[in-house]
Amino acid sequence: MLNPWRLRMLALLDSLGTVRAVAETLHLSPSTVSQQLAVLEAETRSPLLERSGRRVRLTRTGIALARRGREILDRMAETEAELRALNDEPIGTVRLGVFQSAIHPLAVPAAARLTGSHPHLHVELVEAEPHESGPALRTGELDVVVTTTDFVEFPWSPDLEIVPLGVDPVVLVLPAGHSLARRRVVDLAACAGELWACDRPGSYMDELTRRLCRESGFEPQVACRFGNYLLTLQHVEAGRSVALLPALAVTAGHAVVTRELTTPVQRNVAIVRRRGTALRAAVDAVVEALLDHPDIPALAAPGPHR
């Protein structure tokens, strides 16, 4: 009889690549993970792992079992949810990963509506930027995410279902009174001499800012890096930098102005879930609540998906 807990370890090893990463995800020691994977090998009477230097990697048998194991785990969780369901009412906990600018205008209201309509369904909100949410969805740490499908560094494989949600323009954020604020639209090349507030290295907005500046003929001189848009807006407001931000991130109450770029840039916002996800009824309810959102000025109708 296969042990579901050990199957999850094997599936995580296939996704994360190292025993240490699996141990950190499950809050266990690497030795415990190694011991349990050795037990799984004994249970299956098959070689699942092989050493490569100081690391281990999955054999062809291990890869096959890990990927079939994900299907088994999803089916088990779905069956448990069905057995617990009350008159087909969506129940259980759905972990919803959302990038920070969509948390308050989109995710919080959706979770509040679900509390009233589905009292046995609990939505756990997790801040997850695009470079974090895709991998977390694939490993099962998140059940559904709101992200941008424009983050090309993450491969959107066929096992992920993408539901377009809207289009969020990227705008130039300037301190109030900045000379460029007199223009209706701004050519980014005019900002070559500015100091820039950027996101963390490797994040979607950092990569986008660098790419757009380079396409305009200059390398941005970074004054600060914040993973929090409130801090970015405060830095721009103080006259210490300019920034490129999604329009959703520019909240009221800051002495900043936003301007469109001469070559418009937008990010395609979408809801993404695993096609074989467990808790299908619960995840469906969350997706429907996100789609049925009140008007959000910065989020236009869905654009074409790439």
Side-chain angles (χ1 to χ4, degrees):
M1 182 72 68
L2 293 174
N3 182 292
W5 187 52
R6 297 185 188 112
L7 272 181
R8 175 160 167 72
M9 289 184 180
L10 191 71
L12 284 173
L13 182 59
D14 181 39
S15 297
L16 300 176
T18 68
V19 169
R20 181 172 297 278
V22 174
E24 290 174 353
T25 298
L26 298 177
H27 306 291
L28 299 171
S29 67
S31 61
T32 298
V33 173
S34 296
Q35 290 167 8
Q36 292 302 312
L37 290 174
V39 172
L40 183 60
E41 280 192 306
E43 290 175 340
T44 60
R45 299 184 180 88
S46 301
L48 304 177
L49 308 172
E50 60 185 6
R51 289 211 162 268
S52 177
R54 298 178 62 184
R55 302 177 64 176
V56 297
R57 63 185 181 187
L58 297 182
T59 62
R60 290 179 61 184
T61 303
I63 292 171
L65 180 59
R67 295 180 182 176
R68 181 57 62 89
R70 288 195 193 94
E71 300 174 14
I72 294 170
L73 292 168
D74 278 345
R75 290 294 184 186
M76 289 179 64
E78 189 173 8
T79 301
E80 289 174 359
E82 289 172 355
L83 291 173
R84 295 195 309 267
L86 305 174
N87 299 321
D88 295 326
E89 174 72 11
I91 68 171
T93 296
V94 174
R95 294 158 297 182
L96 170 59
V98 188
F99 53 71
Q100 60 175 293
S101 59
I103 290 176
H104 286 290
L106 180 68
V108 170
R113 291 194 298 276
L114 287 166
T115 299
S117 61
H118 300 297
H120 301 289
L121 173 61
H122 173 65
V123 179
E124 179 183 333
L125 294 180
V126 180
E127 180 188 343
E129 295 304 311
H131 66 287
E132 302 166 325
S133 59
L137 179 65
R138 178 161 290 160
T139 61
E141 294 174 72
L142 296 173
D143 300 305
V144 59
V145 302
V146 174
T147 187
T148 174
T149 53
D150 302 308
F151 190 62
V152 296
E153 283 75 7
F154 181 75
W156 300 102
S157 56
D159 62 322
L160 298 177
E161 180 182 0
I162 298 173
V163 182
L165 183 59
V167 176
D168 185 16
V170 174
V171 295
L172 177 66
V173 186
L174 303 164
H178 193 286
S179 60
L180 291 176
R182 293 194 295 268
R183 305 182 186 182
R184 187 178 62 83
V185 296
V186 176
D187 187 334
L188 202 55
C191 300
E194 301 288 344
L195 294 175
W196 287 82
C198 291
D199 206 329
R200 293 162 294 175
S203 65
Y204 168 73
M205 282 309 304
D206 180 60
E207 295 292 330
L208 180 62
T209 296
R210 289 185 173 277
R211 177 173 64 80
L212 293 177
C213 289
R214 287 168 180 165
E215 289 175 358
S216 296
F218 68 96
E219 187 72 25
Q221 185 176 355
V222 178
C224 60
R225 291 189 178 278
F226 299 126
N228 183 303
Y229 290 147
L230 173 61
L231 296 178
T232 300
L233 289 168
Q234 289 174 338
H235 201 270
V236 174
E237 182 179 38
R240 299 184 179 277
S241 60
V242 302
L244 287 173
L245 289 179
L248 268 175
V250 185
T251 52
H254 296 279
V256 299
V257 295
T258 61
R259 291 294 179 263
E260 297 177 5
L261 302 175
T262 51
T263 302
V265 178
Q266 61 188 28
R267 61 175 180 174
N268 291 296
V269 180
I271 306 164
V272 186
R273 59 184 169 188
R274 297 188 303 279
R275 292 189 183 276
T277 187
L279 300 172
R280 168 60 69 174
V283 170
D284 284 349
V286 172
V287 171
E288 289 302 316
L290 290 168
L291 289 171
D292 187 28
H293 61 79
D295 181 55
I296 301 173
L299 196 63
H305 172 62
R306 289 200 302 250

